[in-house]
Amino acid sequence: MIVFDLKCSRDHVFEAWFGSTAAYDAQRAKGQVRCPLCDDHDVGKAVMAPAIASKGNSRPERSGKFSPEAAKAAVTALAAFQAEALKTSKWVGDRFADRARAMHLGEETSDAIYGEASVAEARALIDDGVPIAPLLLPVVPPNKVN
């Protein structure tokens, strides 16, 4: 996996993980790379800040990194966005990959769904051009409690 620093047109900087530079380029070209804070599609690689060691601290610190307050605010905003999206989505459990592929092929009506898929199933969907996005925060089926 490769970690990229990305930046949207609204100057939000965030990290994203991709299997390769080619995977990032392909997903970006398909409009699948979005800012987690504002859902902006206009995302590109950000200039990476160098690691700088501070006095009396051998651990390098990254300039421009989120403060704890900003990180908490970002996670809170992301959680609210995800919760809102899940309100209008249907849980399909372990049938996610089959349902997503059927909708993509026009065999079923397109609906907002979420569920479970293995890494291999998700990779196969992406390789076949099925537009999916991972939920960035963990969720449990609607009939269970966190």
Side-chain angles (χ1 to χ4, degrees):
M1 292 302 247
I2 300 172
V3 179
F4 288 109
D5 279 347
L6 302 177
K7 185 176 183 179
C8 75
S9 64
R10 296 180 183 163
D11 290 330
H12 297 130
V13 177
F14 56 97
E15 290 183 348
W17 297 264
F18 297 89
S20 66
T21 300
Y24 162 76
D25 291 337
Q27 290 180 32
R28 183 171 182 263
K30 293 178 185 176
Q32 296 171 332
V33 180
R34 298 179 182 181
C35 175
L37 300 173
C38 66
D39 201 38
D40 187 2
H41 291 269
D42 188 8
V43 173
K45 293 179 185 173
V47 177
M48 295 180 67
I52 302 170
S54 60
K55 274 187 178 179
N57 182 1
S58 61
R59 182 178 164 207
E61 298 229 1
R62 223 166 163 205
S63 62
K65 85 178 190 183
F66 277 132
S67 68
E69 296 80 19
K72 183 177 179 180
V75 170
T76 300
L78 180 60
F81 174 77
Q82 182 170 299
E84 199 59 37
L86 293 180
K87 284 181 187 177
T88 58
S89 300
K90 179 180 177 188
W91 171 259
V92 295
D94 61 1
R95 295 183 47 232
F96 178 80
D98 294 333
R99 293 284 309 274
R101 181 169 276 108
M103 285 188 281
H104 179 70
L105 296 173
E107 297 168 355
E108 288 189 27
T109 58
S110 292
D111 293 316
I113 62 171
Y114 70 107
E116 300 170 341
S118 69
V119 172
E121 289 171 322
R123 182 170 301 281
L125 289 171
I126 292 167
D127 290 345
D128 292 344
V130 179
I132 63 168
L135 294 175
L136 299 176
L137 299 174
V139 296
V140 294
N143 59 346
K144 293 188 179 181
V145 177
N146 276 343

